[in-house]
């Protein structure tokens, strides 16, 4: 049993004057943060954070940091509540449950808001979309959802490019694992019990590609390895390291900790192209087929069904280097397949980053979503874009 009552806490820097903040730990061990502005408009934004982080326990700082990052919501007059989730590691349904729990805690402490919106960014977009499908029936506690730069294809499709990166990297670099190290199938990401660190991974990537060095300081082989890896996978150079980290450490968590060491990934039938020697690459790259039961379980946890009954507004950077904009196509197809696409409006920005977009875009998007929920007037991408200068 834990004390789930919010305790007054210092607000992160940059929140509006007069805002009050609280932190606490819910009954499942998830740390959370709450903020209420001095001029509260009666609305609540429940935030689902991205990642996933890979610590064993809930991070007490994560929800506070997220409150500071998305303080624009509080600036616009909304109360804000976010969970750090009960543990690190993968688990979309777990994170959705923890997000719903912090909403309930808010209601118990501060009363029922006039309107409640769920917001998720990155993997948090997947979590928030799962909240919509699991906890937001028509007439339920949520009035709408804002999904920004979201991983909306689910894990069964959304991580295929990282499966490809994992095997293509190993074909060229052969250092993860090295020939003299204990071998393991690459779909594991990393063998259980490995002591490899992020710094160690970074050193191996540098050794093979020289990615952190100016082009003039790379060897000819490093440059060719880097060119081949980028050209074949389509991963941007500036996020190569982060994608590789995910395909190593997060895949290890998914496979060993969440799926009982079963394989949910496949690259059978994939034709790799764009290298200096595609024939050799396709003949030499490691191949594997997924365990259908593992695919089923990962799909159940993270894939989306389109069972949506409230307004959903998405915003995605077209040049997002981490959660590629094609996730929006996957989500649109999902809602169309469920005949629920009337609940979806998708907008796009020409920004080039993943982890945070401009305050004006968040504010304009939240205002459009609120107007849609209150009046039933469905916004258009043009109308949302036209509102941005006002913010």
């Amino acid at each position: 049993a834990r004390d789930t009552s919010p305790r007054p806490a210092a607000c992160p820097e940059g929140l509006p004057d007069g805002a009050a903040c609280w932190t606490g730990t819910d009954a499942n061990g998830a740390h959370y943060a709450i903020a209420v502005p001095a001029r509260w408009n009666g609305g609540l934004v429940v935030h689902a954070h991205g990642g996933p982080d890979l610590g064993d326990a809930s991070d007490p700082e994560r929800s506070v940091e997220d409150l500071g990052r998305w303080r624009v919501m509080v600036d616009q007059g909304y109360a804000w509540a976010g969970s750090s989730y009960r543990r690190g590691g993968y688990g979309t349904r777990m994170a959705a449950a923890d997000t719903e729990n912090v909403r309930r805690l808010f209601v118990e402490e501060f009363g029922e808001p006039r309107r409640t919106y769920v917001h998720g960014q990155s993997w948090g977009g997947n979590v928030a979309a799962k909240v919509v499908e699991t906890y937001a029936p028509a007439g339920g506690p949520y009035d709408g959802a804002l999904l920004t730069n979201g991983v909306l294809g689910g894990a069964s499709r959304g991580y295929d490019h990282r499966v490809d990166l994992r095997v293509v990297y190993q074909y060229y670099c052969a250092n993860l694992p090295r020939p003299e190290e204990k071998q393991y199938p690459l779909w594991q990401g990393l063998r259980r019990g490995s002591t490899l660190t992020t710094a160690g991974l970074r050193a191996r990537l540098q050794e093979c590609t020289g990615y952190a060095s100016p082009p003039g300081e790379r060897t000819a082989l490093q440059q060719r390895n880097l060119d081949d890896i980028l050209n074949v996978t389509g991963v941007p150079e500036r996020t190569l390291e982060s994608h590789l980290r995910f395909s190593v450490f997060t895949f290890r968590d998914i496979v060993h900790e969440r799926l009982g060491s079963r394989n949910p990934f496949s690259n059978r039938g994939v034709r790799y192209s764009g290298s200096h020697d595609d024939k050799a690459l396709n003949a030499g790259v490691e191949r594997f087929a997924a365990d259908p039961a593992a695919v089923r379980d990962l799909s159940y946890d993270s894939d989306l069904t389109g069972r949506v009954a409230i307004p959903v507004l998405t915003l995605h950077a077209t040049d997002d280097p981490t959660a590629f904009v094609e996730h929006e196509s996957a989500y649109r197809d999902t809602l169309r397949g469920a005949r629920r696409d009337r609940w979806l409006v998708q907008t796009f920005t020409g920004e080039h980053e993943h982890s945070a977009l401009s305050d004006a875009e968040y504010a304009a998007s939240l205002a459009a979503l609120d107007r849609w929920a209150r009046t039933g007037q469905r916004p258009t991408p043009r109308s949302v874009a036209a509102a941005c200068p006002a913010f």
Side-chain angles (χ1 to χ4, degrees):
R2 296 176 183 267
D3 178 12
T4 61
S5 300
R7 298 178 297 276
C11 289
E13 185 177 351
L15 258 67
D17 292 342
C21 297
W22 294 263
T23 58
T25 308
D26 74 13
N28 294 314
H31 293 282
Y32 62 85
I34 290 172
V36 178
R39 295 184 178 181
W40 183 25
N41 64 13
L44 170 66
V45 174
V46 183
H47 176 74
H49 77 68
D53 301 333
L54 293 179
D56 292 332
S58 182
D59 179 2
E61 301 301 322
R62 180 59 196 254
S63 55
V64 176
E65 292 170 357
D66 285 342
L67 171 57
R69 184 184 301 181
W70 281 284
R71 58 185 179 272
V72 61
M73 310 293 188
V74 183
D75 181 68
Q76 293 302 302
Y78 289 87
W80 189 97
S83 171
S84 293
Y85 311 149
R86 70 191 71 178
R87 60 160 172 77
Y90 206 80
T92 306
R93 286 180 177 269
M94 171 206 72
D98 291 340
T99 302
E100 165 63 2
N101 285 342
V102 78
R103 182 199 67 80
R104 295 180 183 183
L105 279 165
F106 182 94
V107 171
E108 290 173 4
E109 188 72 19
F110 301 97
E112 193 75 42
R114 292 178 186 172
R115 291 171 300 279
T116 300
Y117 303 111
V118 60
H119 168 240
Q121 176 125 350
S122 187
W123 179 60
N126 188 194
V127 175
K130 187 67 74 172
V131 169
V132 170
E133 294 187 355
T134 308
Y135 303 106
Y142 293 93
D143 297 280
L146 176 61
L147 312 179
T148 52
N149 282 1
V151 179
L152 302 175
S156 69
R157 288 181 292 175
Y159 301 144
D160 282 350
H161 65 289
R162 287 168 173 156
V163 175
D164 296 328
L165 174 61
R166 188 68 181 88
V167 299
V168 170
Y169 174 86
Q170 183 65 7
Y171 173 80
Y172 289 112
C173 299
N175 66 6
L176 198 60
R178 301 183 191 277
E180 67 273 15
E181 293 177 328
K182 186 175 181 179
Q183 302 297 295
Y184 53 88
L186 296 180
W187 52 262
Q188 292 185 0
L190 194 63
R191 67 176 177 85
R192 185 191 290 277
S194 172
T195 58
L196 182 73
T197 63
T198 299
L201 174 65
R202 190 179 298 121
R204 296 188 190 209
L205 178 59
Q206 171 68 10
E207 168 193 294
C208 175
T209 68
Y211 81 109
S213 301
E217 296 180 9
R218 297 170 187 155
T219 68
L221 179 58
Q222 284 178 329
Q223 187 63 60
R224 191 177 78 173
N225 287 340
L226 181 61
D227 289 343
D228 281 342
I229 291 169
L230 298 178
N231 290 339
V232 171
T233 64
V235 170
E237 183 174 349
R238 63 194 174 110
T239 52
L240 173 60
E241 181 194 326
S242 64
H243 283 288
L244 187 63
R245 284 202 313 267
F246 195 105
S247 75
V248 173
F249 298 112
T250 307
F251 276 19
R252 176 175 63 174
D253 178 78
I254 291 173
V255 168
H256 292 304
E257 304 302 327
R258 313 304 157 206
L259 294 174
S261 298
R262 295 172 297 154
N263 174 25
F265 304 123
S266 174
N267 68 336
R268 287 283 177 88
V270 175
R271 170 71 183 174
Y272 296 104
S273 62
S275 72
H276 76 279
D277 189 343
D278 290 348
K279 183 177 180 180
L281 171 61
N282 282 280
V285 74
E286 183 175 319
R287 304 278 183 177
F288 39 80
D291 176 342
V295 174
R296 174 202 65 203
D297 291 349
L298 186 59
S299 176
Y300 172 75
D301 181 72
S302 64
D303 286 356
L304 301 169
T305 67
R307 190 172 61 244
V308 170
I310 61 172
V312 177
L313 179 67
T314 71
L315 173 66
H316 214 117
T318 55
D319 193 30
D320 186 332
T322 299
F324 303 141
V325 72
E326 286 85 352
H327 279 278
E328 297 293 335
S329 298
Y331 192 55
R332 182 172 62 243
D333 289 346
T334 297
L335 266 68
R336 282 178 176 170
R339 298 185 179 182
R340 303 292 180 91
D341 53 311
R342 67 185 182 278
W343 294 113
L344 177 65
V345 171
Q346 293 176 294
T347 66
F348 300 89
T349 169
E351 290 198 66
H352 308 283
E353 299 305 324
H354 169 70
S355 295
L357 300 170
S358 77
D359 283 354
E361 288 168 340
Y362 289 119
S365 298
L366 188 57
L369 179 64
D370 180 63
R371 190 178 305 109
W372 186 7
R374 286 187 295 102
T375 68
Q377 296 179 354
R378 191 171 183 261
T380 66
R382 185 181 297 273
S383 70
V384 177
C388 278
F391 293 94

